[in-house]
Each structure stands twice: as C-alpha cells, then as structure tokens.
Amino acid sequence: MFGTAATTTTAAAAAAAAANTAQAARTDLLCAFRRNTIASSSSWYHPIACIQVHSPSLWSSCGGPIRAMAESQTPSVSKDEAQPSYPGNKQALISLSDKKDLEFLGNELQELGYMIVSTGGTATALENAGISVTKVEQLTSFPEMLGGRVKTLHPNIHGGILARRDQKHHMEALNKHGIGTFDVVVVNLYPFYDKVTSTGGINFEDGIENIDIGGPAMIRAAAKNHKDVLIVVDSQDYPALIEFLKRNHNDQQFRRKLAWKAFQHVASYDSAVSEWLWKQTVGDKFPPSLTVPLSLKSSLRYGENPHQKAAFYVDKSLYEVNAGGIATSIQHHGKEMSYNNYLDADAAWNCVSDFKNPTCVIVKHTNPCGVASRNDILEAYRLAVKADPVSAFGGIVAFNIEVDEALAKEIREFRSPTDGETRMFYEIVVAPSYTKKGLEILRGKSKTLRILEAEKNEKGKLSLRQVGGGWLAQDSDDLVPEDIQFKVVSEKSPQESELHDAEFAWLCVKHVKSNAIVIAKNNCMLGMGSGQPNRLESLRIALRKAGDGVKGAALASDAFFPFAWKDAVEEACESGIGVIAEPGGSIRDNDAIDCCNKYDVSLLFTNVRHFRH
C-alpha cells in the first residue's frame, strides 16, 4: 500500500514539475515579447498577432503587474505617444460574402506588410490565391459554432477592433489578455437583399438564416473606432484604401467618410430585414415605423429652379425590386436628366402605361396635353400632337409599344400642326423598347433628346409624398375602367361608342391635376382643363381646347360637381357634350341628374374619385 502510494506521489510530483516548467517557459516567452514591445516604443499600442493568453495571472508573473484602471482614472496617451503598427505587426481583418477584387486587396495588403486575418470561405479564397492568411479561430482558439452563426463574436476580435490607441487602459487591457489590434477591417454582408428578392422568393427559415449578425457587429465596431480602424464595405473603395495606406497620412476626413458609408450600409441592410420581417409577421402596408433606403443615382444640375440644388435617388425598398418605373429606366441618348425631366417623364410613363391599346401620351409640366389610342401607332402619335400642338412642343412623348423605324422617322420629321413647317421638338421620348434602327434614327434627331427605355410600374406600390416635417403614404392609384362600374343615373343611356369614350376620358382625367376635366372622343383626348381652383374654369379651358370636336364627345371629371344649374354641368350640356362621367357623391347630385335629363345628356356615376394634387 505504502509503496504504491509513494510511486503515485512521485509520478504526480514529476508531472506537476513538468507542467510548471512548461508554464514558466511560456511565461518567459510572453514576458520577453511584451518587454521588447514596450521597450521598442513609447506607445502602448502594439498589435499581438499570434499569442493567445488565457491565464489572467501570466502578466503578473513577469514582475510587472499592470492593473486595468477605470476610464475616469486612466490618463489618455498623447498623440506623440500613439504610434501606428510597425511593419510585420499590422493586422487586417477580412470577411466577405461578395469576394469581388479580393485577390487584388489581399495582395496589396500583404505587400504593405499586413498580416491578414480572415474567416471561412474568404480565408480559403485568399489561400487559393497564394496569399498568406491567419484564420479567425487561430486568434480566438474557438472553432466556428452553431453552423457558422458564431465566428467573430469574440473579445479577441472585437477587442482588437474597438480598442482606442490613445487610451492607456485600453492598450493595457489588450496586452493583459494577449489581444492584437486591427488597423483595417473589410467586411460585406450575407446577400439577404438578393436572396429575399430572388425569383420564387425564399422560405421564412432560409430568410432568417441569411440575416448577418457578426458582419454588422464588426462593421459597426470598426466604424465607431474609425479614428484608429479603417472600415471598408464596398469593393469600389479598395483602390482608395490602398492609396491611403501607401501615403500613410492621418486623413480623418477619409476615415469619417468610410465610417459613414459603413453605418449607411448596415442601416440599409437592416431596413431590408425589417421590411421583409414585417411582411412575414403582419403584412400591413403601413407599419408603425418605416425606413426607406435610398441610393444616390445622380447629382442633378439643379432642382425645380436653378437656385435649388438637387439629386436623384433610387428607392431600394424590397417592394420596388423589379417593379418598373422611371427611376430604373435606361437612358440610351441625350443630355443628363434634370429634376423636372424626371417628374415629367414619370407622369408621361404612368399615364401611357394605363392603356391597353397602342397609345401615345404627350406631357407638359406633368399634365397630359395629348392622348390618343389607335391600332396604327403613327396615327395615335399625330392625333396626340394635334390635341394641343403648342403645349406638345418641348414636351415628353411616351409610347406603350416598341418604337420601330417608321415611328422613329415620324417623331423625327413630323411638323407642327400650327404652321406645318416647324419640326416638333421634345425633351424626352420614353418607351418599353426600341428596335436597333428606330434607336439609331431617334439619336439623329437631336444631340440633346433624352431617349429612355422603361418597364411598366407594378400595381400595388406604396406611394410616398413629403410635407413639411413628415411624409404621406398611400396606395398607388391603380384603378382602370375594367375595375369599376359606370352606373347610368340619367334617363338617357349612352350608346356603346359613347360609353367607350367616357371610359377613355375617365382614364385620361385620372392623370390630370385637379381640378381636372377631360373631353374625349374616338379614343382621342380633344381638350383638358387642369389645376384650376374651381371646376367651372377647368371645364371652360377644356371646352376651348376641344373646339368643334366637343359635339357628341364624352366629358370626365376627376371629382363630383358641387353645382349643376348655371354652372359646369349645364355649360357642358349646352356646349353639346353627349355623355358625362363623374364620381357622384354631392348633396346636389339630383341637380346634375335633372340638368342632364333636360338636355338629353347621359350621366354616369363611377363612385371613384381621382383627385391629383
């Protein structure tokens, strides 16, 4: 018994001695490294690349214990004391989903003396490119966990990102725990946006798994500490980053710009997650809080007027993906788009897209001044111009079918009906497509003519409009004649052709600014009155433009008539209008009905108002 016990004790003592010897060796190595670090620089800042310390007592055994003091008691290191990383000790952390230009970045950083730390697929890609890389788990001493959900969420990573180099107690804490600093962090995020907007969509669980956690944490940490850490989230910034590092300048504006871009990147990412999750949870179009991610498409020469600065942004909300519209149109030719160009092109495109048959719409100051539908698009174009050639000159022309060679020649050569000589001039032509020859001909009309190719707007969009200090949100006005009922309320019923004229006029008036009146016949707008404070004035403008064509034509009003006798309804009847379409809903609707009955005019109630302010 005693012999066995003695043998066991001897073996245990030998094992303990061996362990102490190994521990002492490790301690001596670490102490020597740290003494050299402190001796080689007056700075507390020195990155530690590979040594991981898990025993809090190691530093105290070196004979130089350092106590982490509270921030209020810790003096800041002066700018003179704070030094950048030395060659061979600088660290860059790279973790990318989109690995575009990764090889360029890795090679350049390596040539500048950076030790590259990376994760998973990024590390593999770097290694395959022949670039030396240290994997994150070598710094954390932890493998990826939970199916990749936990990789970089570790003090050895975030401590190295967040530590302020001018704070003595920050650098003491890093040295105490053997944590190296990062000078550069390059991160982009899981492709959540692309995944949830892909064809066929994505199921809920897959959507959740594509929400990045570690990436945004590193981006935000580096952006917060941008004074010491350069954060890059866009591969287009790689050349600028490398140039900055080569110059070795302390340009805080450059660092702040990268930090701003980083926070904006994360904010846009989070807005997509929030929008998607809200739809998965509730589905209501109007959440209690709404973030709209906007991406700058272009800086504009000026705004609505020359003294106003302006820019154009594209809405990156999920509901706008592949949803069409002028914002995503392709410009094939011409001067750069202006603020007013975008407004007018949008109005023209929205209007022409509502029509099923081949149609031409001409817009001036966001109001359609000419609309015509014909199987022969050349005839539709001519009729649209003739409706108001003075207004059409300098306007925007939109078509809902492809522009071919014949149509392009007509647009190029057509003369103004006012004198038969002056070629019509336009700011913009917009259509869903162009033939090769058609595009070539239009380009020859003018160097400045803007030629846009656009996709039809999807229905059901959210419509936003700004007021001072806030935004108004509503459903887009997507109704077309097929969606509503034209109810006959007069004694006389319209003929089939008159009903078609009323439907055409009603679709036109939907796109005219209130108070709005449109007179139309045979799928052609003859006259319109817009934007007047009272409906009677809008009617008189429309009648004047329609001229003799008013006889037997259809009239559409965007809202009900508040008065009938000796007012708009009676003047319309007296002018020869054959059918009137209006929403109804006035307390004097019976007066309108009686007036139409007196003049033997058909009256239709739509029960749908089309205010446009």
Side-chain angles (χ1 to χ4, degrees), residues 500-519:
H500 287 322
D501 288 342
E503 291 173 344
F504 184 89
W506 182 85
L507 194 51
C508 290
V509 83
K510 165 186 171 180
H511 295 277
V512 178
K513 293 294 176 65
S514 302
N515 286 306
I517 298 290
V518 165
I519 297 171

Side-chain angles (χ1 to χ4, degrees), residues 315-499:
D315 189 341
K316 304 298 287 186
S317 299
L318 298 181
Y319 68 80
E320 285 288 354
V321 174
N322 299 321
I326 285 297
T328 56
S329 63
I330 300 170
Q331 183 172 351
H332 291 291
H333 181 72
K335 290 172 61 177
E336 65 184 59
M337 293 282 285
S338 71
Y339 184 96
N340 292 329
N341 286 157
Y342 276 114
L343 291 176
D344 288 337
D346 185 59
W349 184 239
N350 290 340
C351 182
V352 80
S353 296
D354 262 352
F355 291 85
K356 288 185 175 181
N357 296 324
T359 300
C360 173
V361 170
I362 303 177
V363 159
K364 194 70 167 288
H365 295 300
T366 71
N367 278 305
C369 58
V371 183
S373 296
R374 289 290 187 277
N375 290 330
D376 181 359
I377 193 63
L378 299 183
E379 183 183 0
Y381 166 64
R382 297 184 195 113
L383 290 171
V385 176
K386 290 177 180 178
D388 188 349
V390 175
S391 297
F393 195 88
I396 285 76
V397 185
F399 301 93
N400 61 355
I401 65 170
E402 184 174 70
V403 174
D404 60 12
E405 180 180 354
L407 180 53
K409 285 182 178 179
E410 190 70 11
I411 296 169
R412 186 184 67 182
E413 301 296 336
F414 191 69
R415 311 291 168 159
S416 173
T418 56
D419 60 13
E421 295 181 1
T422 305
R423 283 186 181 179
M424 292 299 296
F425 163 76
Y426 304 114
E427 291 277 352
I428 302 170
V429 175
V430 56
S433 61
Y434 300 83
T435 65
K436 183 177 180 181
K437 191 64 177 178
L439 192 57
E440 179 184 330
I441 292 170
L442 278 182
R443 283 172 171 157
K445 179 175 174 61
S446 166
K447 292 182 179 179
T448 62
L449 176 65
R450 301 162 182 87
I451 303 173
L452 303 183
E453 180 179 326
E455 294 183 9
K456 183 178 179 180
N457 268 314
E458 291 280 332
K459 289 189 174 183
K461 283 189 175 184
L462 182 66
S463 176
L464 296 173
R465 189 168 181 178
Q466 190 173 17
V467 296
W471 292 83
L472 293 168
Q474 65 175 354
D475 289 325
S476 55
D477 186 357
D478 297 326
L479 294 179
V480 293
E482 292 78 11
D483 298 323
I484 68 169
Q485 180 181 1
F486 289 77
K487 182 181 179 181
V488 180
V489 294
S490 58
E491 293 174 355
K492 181 183 179 181
S493 294
Q495 298 178 8
E496 185 176 352
S497 61
E498 290 179 318
L499 179 59

Side-chain angles (χ1 to χ4, degrees), residues 116-131:
I116 297 174
V117 178
S118 191
T119 61
T122 307
T124 301
L126 288 166
E127 288 174 336
N128 291 340
I131 299 168

Side-chain angles (χ1 to χ4, degrees), residues 162-182:
L162 283 166
R164 288 181 56 179
R165 312 324 191 236
D166 62 350
Q167 292 292 320
K168 184 177 180 180
H169 73 289
H170 281 205
M171 304 316 298
E172 287 175 348
L174 294 194
N175 281 332
K176 177 179 179 181
H177 296 289
I179 299 173
T181 55
F182 290 102

